[in-house]
Amino acid sequence: MTDTPITRIEQHLAAASAAIAAELATVADPVERQDIAREVAETLLPRLGAEVKRGRAAAVAELKEGRTLKEVGALLGGLSIARVDQILKGAKQ
């Protein structure tokens, strides 16, 4: 396996997933375990997703400096102007 940012992130996520599963396994009461799992799925994981989206938007904003949305879209593999704009606006939410 090549050591790249994406492989390191995959390793971090795998470790976090294993830790969450292990922590859930310590909760004997199935109702409480379900409540905790729901909280993770509905609150904590969306926070992670939002953080990743902010990172993506920051990278796109960096690309936008001195470029049109069309040029940025082309750099990102042919994304539409609307999609580039959407990514940029997503950082402000």
Side-chain angles (χ1 to χ4, degrees):
M1 181 186 303
T2 306
D3 185 35
T4 65
I6 195 70
T7 59
R8 289 190 298 276
I9 290 169
E10 286 175 332
Q11 291 168 353
H12 293 305
L13 289 174
S17 179
I20 291 166
E23 192 64 38
L24 285 171
T26 69
V27 180
D29 179 12
V31 172
E32 182 183 2
R33 191 168 57 245
Q34 183 282 146
D35 289 343
I36 294 167
R38 180 182 42 77
E39 181 71 16
V40 170
E42 293 178 0
T43 304
L44 302 180
L45 291 178
R47 287 183 197 164
L48 174 62
E51 186 62 35
V52 171
K53 285 180 182 181
R54 281 191 291 277
R56 182 184 188 193
V60 173
E62 192 175 327
L63 288 171
K64 173 69 177 88
E65 293 175 15
R67 294 182 178 96
T68 66
L69 294 176
K70 183 176 182 177
E71 290 169 333
V72 173
L75 287 171
L76 297 174
L79 292 182
S80 69
I81 291 170
R83 183 65 183 127
V84 172
D85 190 50
Q86 184 182 40
I87 292 167
L88 290 169
K89 288 178 180 173
K92 298 171 187 158
Q93 297 177 351

